[in-house]
Amino acid sequence: MDRIINFFTNLGMPHTFRPENLLEILILAFIIYELLIWVKDTRAWTLLRGIIVVVVFAAISYFLNLTTITWLFSRTAGVLITIIVIVFQPELRRALEQLGRNNLLAALFKPGSSGIGKESARSREKINAEIVRSVFDMSRTKTGALIIIEEQVSLNEYERTGIPLDALVSSQLLSNIFVKNTPLHDGAVFIRDERVVAATCYLPLSEDMEISKELGTRHRAGVGISELSDCLAIIVSEETGAVSLAEGGGLIRGIDREALAKRLKGADEKKHGLFNLKGIAKGDKETSVK
């Protein structure tokens, strides 16, 4: 208890409250809010959660007087911050560029987004049905395709590598995009909520050596993006027409129409907090579904 009291005493908190303190609180709250919004729209969101766990563990070590662990944290904290800045240098650069382009006052008073909250269950079911219909239409004609369905983790940095579309999801649109030798057929299509947001996007390839050598770049790209986020990647093989689903770094090969529809429905329910889903692809790196 004495360590806790001494900790807050050493923070040097002011003994009197002045109007200037309220202004400082508002400014800091706005900065922290904007920082969290930016982090949530990048891969740094996963890192931030890990950092919070480490900080909590360090605080517990300090309050319990675990001197060795506290000493290690104090010696490595500066190095870890430097490493974080180096690893996320592209995200930091884009954030500063965006800050220079945006109007600060407009950011303060802009209305909040209400897209997902107003999306009905019937609308989501319709969108999922359009995706499934398109996937198996392309499977029947052996049209290669790679469809990325964004979940909680934003994939804006990969969407920016393609061509913006912002179109309502339909089976006809998806099928037409992937017709061979058309301008948009190469690369991945990104779907966020009920919109096709971009096409011809480039994705990182998985370096997992356990992936079957018979699978090509399209499958490795689907697995690669699923390793970096919680998205669903639907892959249609151009050689065999087989449909595969990548999730969490795992790959389900030969998935059928009913299983895909069920997985899309489960992802929607998880995203909107309806129940705690256990993924059907958890465990094995590669699974075959008959």
Side-chain angles (χ1 to χ4, degrees):
M1 181 61 69
D2 292 337
R3 292 181 66 84
I4 298 177
I5 295 174
N6 291 334
F7 174 79
F8 287 103
T9 301
N10 294 331
L11 288 179
M13 299 296 290
H15 297 287
T16 58
F17 186 83
R18 298 175 300 170
E20 293 85 351
N21 299 136
L22 178 60
L23 179 61
E24 290 177 334
I25 292 172
L26 293 176
I27 292 174
L28 288 174
F30 172 74
I31 292 173
I32 293 173
Y33 172 78
E34 289 295 327
L35 180 63
L36 290 175
I37 292 297
W38 166 74
V39 168
K40 195 175 187 302
D41 288 338
T42 67
R43 289 182 298 148
W45 181 246
T46 304
L47 176 69
L48 179 62
R49 289 186 292 183
I51 292 175
I52 292 174
V53 173
V54 173
V55 169
V56 170
F57 183 69
I60 293 174
S61 302
Y62 175 81
F63 292 135
L64 295 181
N65 200 23
L66 304 179
T67 55
T68 302
I69 297 177
T70 303
W71 180 83
L72 287 174
F73 275 118
S74 64
R75 296 298 179 182
T76 59
V79 177
L80 290 176
I81 292 174
T82 303
I83 292 174
I84 290 171
V85 171
I86 293 173
V87 170
F88 288 94
Q89 183 266 340
E91 285 83 357
L92 291 171
R93 185 181 68 249
R94 281 194 294 269
L96 292 174
E97 291 174 352
Q98 183 177 0
L99 182 62
R101 290 193 302 266
N102 290 346
N103 187 321
L104 183 60
L105 293 178
L108 275 170
F109 298 105
K110 66 181 178 181
S113 175
S114 59
I116 295 179
K118 294 183 178 180
E119 185 184 8
S120 66
R122 179 174 297 180
S123 176
R124 295 194 298 270
E125 290 177 3
K126 182 180 178 181
I127 295 301
N128 291 342
E130 293 290 325
I131 294 173
V132 172
R133 183 182 302 113
S134 172
V135 165
F136 284 93
D137 285 346
M138 291 186 288
S139 172
R140 187 177 61 255
T141 58
K142 294 185 179 180
T143 302
L146 177 53
I147 300 173
I148 308 302
I149 302 175
E150 187 180 276
E151 296 295 328
Q152 300 291 342
V153 177
S154 175
L155 298 171
N156 286 336
E157 58 187 297
Y158 300 109
E159 293 169 18
R160 282 193 288 264
T161 64
I163 298 175
L165 292 182
D166 191 24
L168 187 66
V169 175
S170 69
S171 61
Q172 296 87 349
L173 174 62
L174 293 174
S175 297
N176 285 336
I177 286 175
F178 289 107
V179 171
K180 195 171 183 179
N181 298 326
T182 55
L184 299 180
H185 89 281
D186 194 22
V189 162
F190 274 87
I191 295 177
R192 179 186 299 122
D193 300 329
E194 57 182 21
R195 312 290 293 183
V196 178
V197 294
T200 69
C201 300
Y202 296 102
L203 306 180
L205 302 183
S206 173
E207 298 180 358
D208 190 347
M209 301 304 295
E210 297 181 12
I211 297 177
S212 174
K213 302 300 182 184
E214 68 185 39
L215 299 178
T217 304
R218 186 176 285 114
H219 289 80
R220 283 195 170 273
V223 175
I225 194 68
S226 74
E227 291 172 342
L228 300 175
S229 72
D230 58 350
C231 72
L232 299 180
I234 305 172
I235 308 108
V236 180
S237 172
E238 190 173 350
E239 289 74 22
T240 65
V243 178
S244 302
L245 177 68
E247 178 190 8
L251 182 66
I252 305 173
R253 299 176 62 185
I255 190 170
D256 60 23
R257 182 186 295 265
E258 181 181 355
L260 179 60
K262 182 178 180 181
R263 184 62 194 91
L264 292 177
K265 180 180 179 182
D268 277 338
E269 290 174 342
K270 180 182 179 182
K271 184 175 182 180
H272 295 273
L274 300 181
F275 80 117
N276 187 15
L277 178 72
K278 294 183 178 179
I280 60 175
K282 300 300 182 184
D284 298 335
K285 278 288 181 182
E286 184 172 328
T287 308
S288 179
V289 177
K290 303 298 183 183

